[in-house]
Amino acid sequence: MYYITNYDLVGWKKLFQVLISDHTRFTTADRAQMLFDLIMLTDAKQVEITMTLQLTMYLRKERHYAPWRVAGLWFRRLLRGLSAAERAAAKINVRDLLDEVLRSVAHLGTSYNLPLRERLLRNEVMSIASVMEGLSTLDHDGVEELDPVLRQLVQQRKATNNGTFWRDQLGILQTSHDEGRILDLLPILSATKNGSAVKELLSAALNKSETILSTAVYHLAPLHPDTVWAFMKNNFAAFNQKMSKLPFQHVYLMQATIENLRRPGDYQDVQRFFSEHNPGPGMVGVMAGLERIQQNVRWSQAHRYSCRSYFFSYARRRALGYEKLGERK
């Protein structure tokens, strides 16, 4: 039998103060479990999401993999439930948590030389960083020479901010027959904020292998769910024909395409579309995606406005220089 421990508001605030002042008073396992329990209680509406967000501020000092793994999974899910403006504000908060720890692991040499614990931590924070923008760690000259993952993050920043660089990389993808190289390019190209560029990238991926198409959707759908869904609807016959011989990837592609949609009308839109267009083996993925849409809508109704208020307030305080390890001036 599994138990989750809940506290009243005073109890959680006391735990927050202990974590901020000296998080090592709890074991690594206890810190990871505390975060996990708090996230589960938040999802069950037993704890306000603002309390969970405040408690995660201690992660600036965290240098162990397990708590970051728990938090990282939640951050990714949390960002999917926000609008573009809200995600931009949220990223300011998450970047502040990431920047110090990423800087501490970025200059340790290549991942292959690190002990397992440091390697796991490094990979996790870099994975979270890959969906963020503006990490000051990546602005240091030569940092991309230290590690392939860091080099990819630097190139993602270039793709986000430099249209010429992005188009050059797309040209390589369109003409290359090296699947490994193309798969390496997809996370970089997916960093674009331009809706037309997203369509171009999906069009290029549609002309490549099933694996490349699935990977492109995997990278793009969390960032541009509406654009990816609209593109898939407009090119459904080509999508379905390409994936029909690979049932497992077909299921995965259908789910990945729709599972990040979050507006109440999206559920009916997806349901109506697939009542008229048979996805074949991909129907299993459609059903899983529809379930995720319902979860996204429920999450948004329960937590979105609390998150919006918290992140916008944090961004204002941060701009004024008031934020220091979760405290206010």
Side-chain angles (χ1 to χ4, degrees):
M1 187 174 292
Y2 179 76
Y3 297 92
I4 292 180
T5 303
N6 195 4
Y7 303 94
D8 59 16
L9 183 61
V10 174
W12 282 117
K13 285 184 175 180
K14 286 181 178 178
L15 286 172
F16 170 72
Q17 292 300 326
V18 173
L19 286 169
I20 288 294
S21 60
D22 182 11
H23 65 288
T24 60
R25 288 172 62 180
F26 299 104
T27 67
T28 302
D30 285 342
R31 297 195 301 272
Q33 188 66 57
M34 193 183 307
L35 281 173
F36 180 83
D37 288 353
L38 189 55
I39 289 167
M40 291 298 101
L41 289 165
T42 301
D43 288 346
K45 302 181 186 179
Q46 298 298 308
V47 174
E48 285 291 326
I49 196 167
T50 50
M51 174 56 65
T52 310
L53 291 166
Q54 288 171 8
L55 191 138
T56 61
M57 295 299 294
Y58 101 89
L59 288 166
R60 291 179 180 178
K61 295 182 175 181
E62 183 61 73
R63 297 296 182 271
H64 285 263
Y65 164 73
W68 268 109
R69 178 60 175 167
V70 173
L73 291 170
W74 188 61
F75 286 144
R76 294 181 186 91
R77 182 158 56 91
L78 184 150
L79 289 175
R80 286 200 297 266
L82 303 177
S83 69
E86 292 160 353
R87 282 198 302 273
K91 287 178 180 181
I92 295 173
N93 176 256
V94 180
R95 285 200 305 263
D96 279 355
L97 305 183
L98 278 170
D99 201 31
E100 187 175 333
V101 63
L102 184 58
R103 186 161 49 246
S104 74
V105 299
H107 301 281
L108 296 177
T110 65
S111 294
Y112 311 110
N113 298 328
L114 297 178
L116 177 61
R117 192 181 77 179
E118 282 79 5
R119 189 160 67 247
L120 288 170
L121 172 64
R122 182 190 184 114
N123 290 344
E124 180 60 30
V125 296
M126 286 182 177
S127 175
I128 303 170
S130 68
V131 297
M132 303 298 157
E133 296 144 9
L135 289 167
S136 62
T137 301
L138 306 181
D139 293 330
H140 301 301
D141 291 338
V143 70
E144 69 272 20
E145 301 302 324
L146 294 175
D147 190 277
V149 182
L150 277 177
R151 181 163 56 251
Q152 185 182 82
L153 294 182
V154 171
Q155 290 175 328
Q156 282 179 310
R157 282 170 61 80
K158 289 180 181 177
T160 302
N161 301 315
N162 188 323
T164 302
F165 176 83
W166 187 91
R167 192 152 295 284
D168 289 343
Q169 302 305 303
L170 179 65
I172 294 172
L173 182 148
Q174 290 171 327
T175 57
S176 176
H177 299 288
D178 183 341
E179 185 168 282
R181 187 179 187 189
I182 293 173
L183 291 173
D184 287 341
L185 284 174
L186 286 175
I188 298 166
L189 288 163
S190 299
T192 181
K193 297 178 182 178
N194 186 303
S196 297
V198 172
K199 294 175 185 177
E200 281 191 75
L201 178 53
L202 285 168
S203 294
L206 194 54
N207 292 319
K208 300 293 182 179
S209 70
E210 294 84 355
T211 299
I212 290 172
L213 177 60
S214 297
T215 305
V217 170
Y218 168 79
H219 286 294
L220 287 167
L223 302 173
H224 309 277
D226 297 325
T227 304
V228 172
W229 169 231
F231 184 88
M232 200 279 281
K233 286 194 293 184
N234 292 331
N235 297 273
F236 178 73
F239 267 75
N240 220 31
Q241 183 179 5
K242 178 173 283 291
M243 305 303 298
S244 59
K245 296 179 181 179
L246 298 172
F248 179 77
Q249 283 195 330
H250 199 175
V251 169
Y252 170 80
L253 180 69
M254 289 297 107
Q255 180 175 347
T257 300
I258 64 177
E259 66 180 357
N260 293 288
L261 298 170
R262 62 181 179 274
R263 294 172 301 193
D266 289 334
Y267 183 89
Q268 287 76 21
D269 183 34
V270 172
Q271 201 172 43
R272 183 168 52 252
F273 180 84
F274 285 111
S275 69
E276 301 169 357
H277 300 81
N278 182 9
M283 181 56 78
V284 176
V286 171
M287 299 306 296
L290 283 168
E291 186 175 336
R292 287 295 298 272
I293 294 173
Q294 288 183 312
Q295 293 174 3
N296 295 341
V297 171
R298 287 196 295 268
W299 184 95
S300 182
Q301 292 170 341
H303 300 302
R304 180 178 173 186
Y305 290 103
S306 294
C307 284
R308 176 190 179 95
S309 177
Y310 178 89
F311 288 130
F312 282 172
S313 177
Y314 182 94
R316 286 193 295 269
R317 296 197 308 271
R318 185 68 173 78
L320 295 171
Y322 287 174
E323 204 64 35
K324 184 178 181 181
L325 203 56
E327 299 175 355
R328 300 182 188 184
K329 288 187 180 182

